[in-house]
Amino acid sequence: MDLVVRHTTSYLYHAAASRISLLLRLFPTQFDGQSVHDWTVTLNGKRIEHGPANSFGDDEAHAQVELVGRELVIEAAGVVRTQDRNGSVKGLKREVPRSVFRRMTPLTTLDDGIRGIAEQAVGGDTLSRLHDLSRGIRQRVAYQAGVTGAQTSAAAALALGQGVCQDHAHIFVSAARSLGIPARYVAGYYLADSAENAVHETHAWAEAYVNDLGWIGFDITNGVCTTDHYIRLCAGLDAHDAAPVRGAVFGGQEIAIDADVLISEADAETQQRLPQQQ
């Protein structure tokens, strides 16, 4: 499937900021089942190129912006070709030792609640148990926007019983690690099955390592393994590691932020301009 993406993030400042330092992970991963075409990232219209891949193997860019005026607009746009590999993630340019993804972080710290939901997951093999874990999290934590934030831990979201895709992924990652299964947090884009369910922001899911299969993507929020409707941007131990945009402002104060993701299947004209599928 050829997916067209336009991801725009706008920041408005109370007074002109003298300088803004940014870390951008807005460059989709190249791996088996996902290839990138015509992708650009711009800051106020100026194109930004990524540097070397980070320690997790994801491309990123560091940018210093001398802001003229009060607004900063970050835009990532292009076409990504995807294939449904039943959640399998193979062919990444850098394979991080799996033991790294057994580490807990402040956002994925284990508590009795997470340990309990992990122990309740059943199945005849690891893959089945992970699917049951995903179902258990979805049943315990209802999707509700606005009740958690960027610093909400997995344990806090589980105790609250509400959250968003970030919270679902954090709980899954923490629970899987408690079972000795390497797991990582993933950020990217998701094409919903209808306009009514469209996601106008980045999406989050998890990947867990299953012996004899490798890394498998689990979208806990939607109860499926990842398909050709998903574009993988970056991964890490938690949402902090895999934040598509991070930054610091010097000499100004941010007062408003607006983000929007538009994603659709490419039309016939766009598909004709792309190279043939390998």
Side-chain angles (χ1 to χ4, degrees):
M1 182 183 295
D2 295 324
L3 299 177
V4 180
V5 178
R6 185 174 299 278
H7 175 193
T8 305
T9 307
S10 300
Y11 298 87
L12 184 65
Y13 299 91
H14 180 71
S18 60
R19 182 163 54 91
I20 301 171
S21 179
L22 293 167
L23 173 59
L24 305 177
R25 302 186 186 96
L26 289 168
F27 306 91
T29 317
Q30 297 265 16
F31 63 99
D32 296 350
Q34 180 171 299
S35 56
V36 183
H37 304 268
D38 303 324
W39 192 265
T40 60
V41 176
T42 60
L43 298 179
N44 282 358
K46 181 180 179 181
R47 183 163 181 163
I48 300 296
E49 303 291 347
H50 65 75
N54 63 20
S55 59
F56 295 110
D58 299 316
D59 292 331
E60 62 183 25
H62 296 262
Q64 301 285 339
V65 181
E66 300 294 334
L67 192 64
V68 178
R70 297 175 54 200
E71 187 176 29
L72 173 67
V73 178
I74 305 169
E75 184 172 272
V79 181
V80 179
R81 178 167 287 170
T82 60
Q83 293 179 323
D84 187 352
R85 299 292 182 95
N86 297 312
S88 176
V89 180
K90 296 182 183 296
L92 294 172
K93 68 171 113 177
R94 178 174 297 172
E95 291 293 345
V96 181
R98 296 194 296 274
S99 58
V100 169
F101 297 107
R102 292 193 180 99
R103 299 175 186 171
M104 296 295 184
T105 69
L107 290 174
T108 62
T109 298
L110 185 67
D111 73 347
D112 289 341
I114 295 175
R115 185 179 290 106
I117 204 169
E119 292 173 350
Q120 290 166 15
V122 297
D125 53 31
T126 300
L127 183 62
S128 298
R129 191 172 189 184
L130 289 169
H131 278 297
D132 197 54
L133 173 62
S134 177
R135 283 190 293 270
I137 293 169
R138 204 163 55 255
Q139 290 167 0
R140 290 276 300 276
V141 182
Y143 186 91
Q144 182 61 54
V147 297
T148 57
Q151 302 306 316
T152 303
S153 69
L158 181 59
L160 181 64
Q162 295 178 315
V164 293
C165 56
Q166 172 178 301
D167 304 300
H168 289 155
H170 277 155
I171 298 167
F172 182 95
V173 164
S174 179
R177 290 173 185 165
S178 78
L179 297 171
I181 301 170
R184 57 197 181 199
Y185 181 101
V186 183
Y189 304 116
Y190 168 61
L191 175 64
D193 55 5
S194 67
E196 180 181 340
N197 296 324
V199 179
H200 291 279
E201 57 190 0
T202 54
H203 191 50
W205 58 94
E207 292 170 356
Y209 191 85
V210 179
N211 290 333
D212 300 325
L213 292 177
W215 289 100
I216 304 295
F218 293 85
D219 180 357
I220 298 85
T221 301
N222 290 301
V224 297
C225 284
T226 51
T227 67
D228 54 356
H229 284 232
Y230 293 77
I231 296 175
R232 187 185 193 274
L233 274 179
C234 53
L237 296 177
D238 57 23
H240 183 270
D241 278 343
V245 179
R246 290 173 54 193
V249 181
F250 304 91
Q253 182 179 1
E254 176 189 318
I255 59 171
I257 179 173
D258 181 61
D260 188 42
V261 173
L262 298 176
I263 180 170
S264 62
E265 189 170 1
D267 58 25
E269 181 181 351
T270 301
Q271 290 175 329
Q272 288 177 356
R273 296 200 305 266
L274 298 178
Q276 295 300 305
Q277 185 73 50
Q278 299 296 317

